């Protein structure tokens, strides 16, 4: 009998130029495996729409004109992302993780289905939401589950949130790893 591979919590972060996929574009995608900082993925994406909200675009600091000229197409980027996630299956079972999972999951699932045909995270695109996990672990109210609050509670005050999808995925992976270690102690 073969040993069952462990779950790999793939922290995902998205930067987008608007509130929903389709009319607006995901412009960068970062992924990092909790507890395995050497396992990460980052890509920028060419916008799929002419529409964007300047305030949303400003959050990431990415240059839309440069993305239109030089970034991989959404299909190229999402195929590379799917290949990376599927490559993790050699060592574990990838599980989507985000904070909030609703926002990042909405973009990631939509983009995978639209440009790859399916999500490597499964048909529903479901996964773990850091804030809900923390709420269940600690019994706090929703308002006390912001990532900054969780980081303060865990003493992770030196872990920045930069609005770079790759760096923020690594941040989330580090936070979730610390949350899981706390859960194992309690």
């Amino acid at each position: 009998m073969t040993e069952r591979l462990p779950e790999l919590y793939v922290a995902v972060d998205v930067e987008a130029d608007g509130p929903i996929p389709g009319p607006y574009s995901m412009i960068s995608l970062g992924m990092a495996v909790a507890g395995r900082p050497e396992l990460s993925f980052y890509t920028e994406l060419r916008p799929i729409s002419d529409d964007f909200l300047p305030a949303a675009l400003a959050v990431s600091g990415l240059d839309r004109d440069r993305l239109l000229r030089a970034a991989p197409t959404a299909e190229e980027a999402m195929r590379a992302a799917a290949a990376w996630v599927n490559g993790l299956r050699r060592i574990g079972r990838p599980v989507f993780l985000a904070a909030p999972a609703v926002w990042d999951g909405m973009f990631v699932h939509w983009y995978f289905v639209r440009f790859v045909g399916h999500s490597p995270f499964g048909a529903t695109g479901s996964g773990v939401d850091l804030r809900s996990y923390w709420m269940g672990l600690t019994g706090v109210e929703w308002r006390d589950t912001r990532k900054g609050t969780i980081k303060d509670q865990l003493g992770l005050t030196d872990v920045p949130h930069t609005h770079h999808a790759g760096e923020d995925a690594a941040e989330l992976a580090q936070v979730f790893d610390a949350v899981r270690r706390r859960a194992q102690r309690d």
Side-chain angles (χ1 to χ4, degrees), residues 129-150:
D129 176 78
L130 172 69
R131 294 182 69 178
S132 298
Y133 191 94
W134 183 255
M135 189 176 181
L137 178 65
T138 63
V140 299
E141 292 183 346
W142 181 253
R143 67 186 177 114
D144 296 323
T145 64
R146 290 181 189 89
K147 194 178 348 169
T149 303
I150 295 170

Side-chain angles (χ1 to χ4, degrees), residues 54-163:
L57 182 62
V59 170
S60 70
L62 292 171
D63 181 313
R64 185 175 170 84
D65 291 332
R66 183 187 61 76
L67 294 173
L68 287 167
R69 284 189 321 273
T73 66
E75 183 176 349
E76 292 166 335
M78 297 313 291
R79 287 195 183 284
W84 183 82
V85 171
N86 287 328
L88 294 173
R89 295 182 193 291
R90 295 185 315 270
I91 60 170
R93 296 174 291 132
V95 176
F96 182 89
L97 163 67
V102 171
W103 164 260
D104 298 282
M106 170 179 57
F107 275 92
V108 170
H109 188 69
W110 190 92
Y111 265 72
F112 274 132
V113 171
R114 172 69 179 87
F115 296 106
V116 178
H118 65 281
S119 172
F121 292 111
T124 64
S126 62
V128 177
D129 176 78
L130 172 69
R131 294 182 69 178
S132 298
Y133 191 94
W134 183 255
M135 189 176 181
L137 178 65
T138 63
V140 299
E141 292 183 346
W142 181 253
R143 67 186 177 114
D144 296 323
T145 64
R146 290 181 189 89
K147 194 178 348 169
T149 303
I150 295 170
K151 287 167 39 175
D152 287 345
Q153 291 288 313
L154 296 170
L156 298 174
T157 55
D158 61 339
V159 180
H161 185 81
T162 64
H163 292 289

